[in-house]
C-alpha cells in the first residue's frame, strides 16, 4: 500500500506501508525502513499531535510516554487521559527506553539526535510527518497510525468519522450558498500571525467554499500580519485562537484594536474565537 502526499522540507511525507501481515514494514519520513514484529502494546509518542492520533485509536493504557504538551490543560485534547493513565514525558531517551517500549513515534521535525539514540537500541522508531497542508493528509495519517500500532479497524472507524464531519461541514456550506449566500472571506489569526496559503486552515476554508483573505493577499504559510492591513482587507469573518477559558479575553482584545474594529467582521459581530485545542493541532 502506498499513499503519496506532498514532500516537505522535513523529509518525505509519502506514506509507504507494506503488508497487513506481521512482521509489518513502513518507510518513514527519513526514508528509513521500520520493521514492526508484532502489534504494539507499549507505545511512545514524542510529539503533541502524535499524542492525539494515538489516544484516538490505541487503548490508552498502551501509551506509556507522551509529549509534555499532553498534560497542558490550556490546549491539550488528551490531558484528561494523560492525567488518568500517567504516561511519562518522552523528552528523556533513557527514561523512555527504561519503559521497554515496542514502538516509538517521533515527529519529522523533532531532534535528530533523539531519534538516532533510540534507533540505536533496536526498538522500532518511526519518524512521522506532523505538519500538514490538507485534510486528506490527516485522514491518511490516522490510517497510518492504525497500521503502525496494529489497530487498523479502530483507525478506519476514526477516519470514517473524520471524513463524515468534513462532508457534514461541506454540505452545510453548500446549502447556504445554494440559498444565495455569498462565499465568505475569512481571516484566520493566531495572535499577530495569520494563516496564509499552504496551511491546513487554508484547506479547511477551501473545503467549505470560503476564501482565505490572507492567502488572497499573498501570505503564505504561518506568518506575521500587519494589523493595519486587516483594516484594508476588511474580512467578512475573523477566526482566532485562545487558550482554554480565554476566548472572551481574546475577543475583547481584538475588538479594542482600531484596525480590527473597523472591519466588516467586527461591525457585523462576525469574530469567532475558538480554543486552541480546536485550532492548533495537526490531528
Amino acid at each position: 500500500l502506498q499513499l503519496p502526499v506532498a514532500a516537505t522540507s522535513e523529509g518525505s511525507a509519502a506514506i509507504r506501508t507494506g503488508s497487513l501481515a506481521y512482521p509489518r514494514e513502513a518507510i518513514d519520513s527519513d526514508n528509513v525502513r521500520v520493521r514492526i514484529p508484532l502489534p504494539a502494546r507499549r507505545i511512545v509518542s514524542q510529539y503533541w499531535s502524535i499524542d492525539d492520533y494515538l489516544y484516538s485509536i490505541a487503548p490508552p493504557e498502551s501509551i506509556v510516554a507522551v509529549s509534555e504538551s499532553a498534560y497542558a490543560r490550556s490546549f491539550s485534547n488528551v490531558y484528561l487521559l494523560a492525567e488518568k493513565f500517567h504516561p511519562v514525558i518522552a523528552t528523556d531517551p533513557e527514561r523512555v527506553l527504561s519503559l521497554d517500549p515496542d514502538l516509538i513515534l517521533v515527529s519529522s521535525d523533532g531532534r535528530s539526535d533523539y531519534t538516532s539514540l533510540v534507533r540505536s537500541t533496536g526498538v522500532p522508531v518511526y519518524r512521522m510527518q506532523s505538519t500538514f497542508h490538507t485534510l486528506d493528509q490527516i485522514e491518511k495519517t490516522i490510517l497510518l497510525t492504525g497500521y503502525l500500532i496494529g489497530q487498523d479497524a479502530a483507525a478506519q472507524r476514526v477516519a470514517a468519522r473524520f471524513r463524515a464531519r468534513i462532508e457534514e461541514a461541506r454540505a452545510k456550506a453548500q446549502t447556504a450558498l445554494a440559498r444565495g449566500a455569498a462565499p465568505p472571506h475569512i481571516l484566520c489569526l493566531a495572535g499577530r500571525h495569520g494563516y496564509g496559503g499552504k496551511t491546513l486552515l487554508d484547506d479547511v476554508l477551501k473545503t467549505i467554499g470560503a476564501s482565505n483573505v490572507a492567502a488572497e493577499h499573498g501570505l503564505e504559510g504561518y506568518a506575521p500580519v500587519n494589523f493595519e492591513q486587516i483594516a484594508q482587507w476588511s474580512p467578512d469573518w475573523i477566526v482566532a485562537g485562545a487558550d482554554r477559558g480565554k476566548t472572551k479575553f481574546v475577543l475583547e482584545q481584538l475588538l479594542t484594536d482600531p484596525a480590527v474594529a473597523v472591519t466588516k467582521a467586527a461591525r457585523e459581530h462576525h469574530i469567532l474565537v475558538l480554543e486552541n485545542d480546536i485550532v492548533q493541532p495537526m490531528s
Side-chain angles (χ1 to χ4, degrees), residues 182-203:
H185 293 262
I186 301 176
L187 175 64
C188 298
L189 296 174
R192 311 294 290 191
H193 286 66
Y195 294 88
K198 298 184 179 179
T199 62
L200 182 59
L201 274 172
D202 184 59
D203 191 54

Side-chain angles (χ1 to χ4, degrees), residues 103-160:
L103 179 64
I104 300 175
L105 302 179
V106 301
S107 168
S108 58
D109 59 1
R111 290 166 39 200
S112 58
D113 59 332
Y114 182 106
T115 305
S116 297
L117 178 59
V118 292
R119 273 184 179 152
S120 68
T121 67
V123 177
V125 180
Y126 186 95
R127 199 169 172 95
M128 296 180 69
Q129 279 294 322
S130 53
T131 300
F132 304 119
H133 299 155
T134 69
L135 292 164
D136 185 58
Q137 290 173 313
I138 290 180
E139 183 175 354
K140 289 175 179 177
T141 301
I142 293 170
L143 297 173
L144 168 66
T145 304
Y147 178 86
L148 294 173
I149 68 175
Q151 294 285 344
D152 304 275
Q156 288 166 5
R157 289 192 295 271
V158 173

Side-chain angles (χ1 to χ4, degrees), residues 32-185:
V32 172
R33 186 178 297 274
V34 180
R35 185 176 184 272
I36 304 170
L38 294 168
R41 295 293 178 263
R42 298 181 62 77
I43 311 165
V44 170
S45 164
Q46 175 264 341
Y47 193 73
W48 71 312
S49 62
I50 299 174
D51 298 339
D52 281 9
Y53 286 112
L54 285 176
Y55 274 117
S56 71
I57 298 169
E61 64 274 10
S62 69
I63 303 167
V64 297
V66 292
S67 75
E68 189 174 9
S69 298
Y71 287 94
R73 288 189 171 214
S74 63
F75 60 82
S76 171
N77 280 306
V78 300
Y79 75 89
L80 290 175
L81 287 165
E83 291 178 355
K84 179 178 180 179
F85 291 93
H86 303 291
V88 306
I89 303 299
T91 50
D92 181 353
E94 292 183 0
R95 189 177 185 192
V96 165
L97 292 169
S98 72
L99 299 170
D100 192 27
D102 46 25
L103 179 64
I104 300 175
L105 302 179
V106 301
S107 168
S108 58
D109 59 1
R111 290 166 39 200
S112 58
D113 59 332
Y114 182 106
T115 305
S116 297
L117 178 59
V118 292
R119 273 184 179 152
S120 68
T121 67
V123 177
V125 180
Y126 186 95
R127 199 169 172 95
M128 296 180 69
Q129 279 294 322
S130 53
T131 300
F132 304 119
H133 299 155
T134 69
L135 292 164
D136 185 58
Q137 290 173 313
I138 290 180
E139 183 175 354
K140 289 175 179 177
T141 301
I142 293 170
L143 297 173
L144 168 66
T145 304
Y147 178 86
L148 294 173
I149 68 175
Q151 294 285 344
D152 304 275
Q156 288 166 5
R157 289 192 295 271
V158 173
R161 287 199 301 270
F162 180 75
R163 178 56 55 186
R165 293 298 298 275
I166 293 170
E167 294 307 321
E168 179 185 353
R170 194 200 312 267
K172 287 182 178 179
Q174 289 175 344
T175 298
L177 294 174
R179 290 173 178 169
H185 293 262

Side-chain angles (χ1 to χ4, degrees), residues 144 153 226 253:
L144 168 66
N226 182 338
Q253 280 190 319

